[in-house]
């Protein structure tokens, strides 16, 4: 299992229908197989995620956030880690809104 505790991830790309801004940072906290993070920036005033990590480091995530329109938005995300040659982790994410239009998207995040 990958230990995500205190790892910081920044977005490299996000689908157009996403709210995550490329200037944001996600600081992961992990206890056992539970990963959490609080985040804000860009179009997101306040957000939280919680995930379960499996033995290969995959994250099964749920998130909720308040955007700059004052709306609560929610979604699910499956994140798959890729170990880079420099030892850092790149996360390949497939997500779907569970509120609003329920559309899907993809994101790439990389460890700082």
């Amino acid at each position: 299992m990958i230990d995500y505790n205190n790892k910081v991830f920044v977005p490299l790309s996000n689908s157009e229908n996403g709210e995550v801004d490329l200037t944001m940072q996600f600081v992961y906290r992990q206890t056992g197989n539970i990963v959490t993070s609080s985040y804000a920036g860009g179009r997101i005033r306040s957000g939280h995620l919680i995930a379960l990590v499996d033995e290969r480091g995959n994250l099964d995530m749920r998130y909720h956030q308040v955007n700059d329109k004052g709306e609560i938005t929610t979604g699910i995300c499956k994140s798959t880690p890729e170990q880079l040659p420099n030892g850092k982790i790149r996360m390949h994410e497939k997500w779907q809104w569970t509120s609003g239009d329920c559309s899907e998207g993809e994101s790439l995040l990389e460890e700082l």
Side-chain angles (χ1 to χ4, degrees):
M1 181 187 317
I2 294 174
D3 183 3
Y4 288 103
N5 196 45
N6 294 318
K7 291 193 182 296
V8 179
F9 290 89
V10 295
L12 299 177
S13 66
N14 193 17
S15 299
E16 285 187 28
N17 57 329
E19 292 185 335
V20 167
D21 183 277
L22 298 184
T23 64
M24 294 175 61
Q25 291 188 355
F26 296 85
V27 179
Y28 284 5
R29 304 284 184 235
Q30 183 173 347
T31 303
N33 70 331
I34 300 171
V35 175
T36 61
S37 182
S38 297
Y39 55 91
R43 295 176 50 200
I44 300 172
R45 291 175 35 204
S46 179
H48 304 93
L49 65 83
I50 189 165
L52 294 175
V53 59
D54 70 16
E55 63 281 348
R56 291 177 307 242
N58 298 308
L59 296 176
D60 180 11
M61 185 183 305
R62 306 295 181 271
Y63 57 89
H64 60 260
Q65 55 203 29
V66 176
N67 63 24
D68 59 358
K69 297 176 188 172
E71 302 166 326
I72 296 175
T73 56
T74 61
I76 58 174
C77 179
K78 301 285 187 184
S79 298
T80 304
E82 172 192 1
Q83 193 79 42
L84 300 174
N86 65 3
K88 301 291 184 176
I89 299 170
R90 179 177 292 158
M91 301 300 291
H92 298 264
E93 300 190 327
K94 294 185 183 292
W95 51 264
Q96 180 176 11
W97 293 112
T98 55
S99 61
D101 66 6
C102 295
S103 62
E104 299 179 1
E106 295 184 9
S107 302
L108 271 180
L109 277 73
E110 193 165 291
E111 183 183 356
L112 275 183

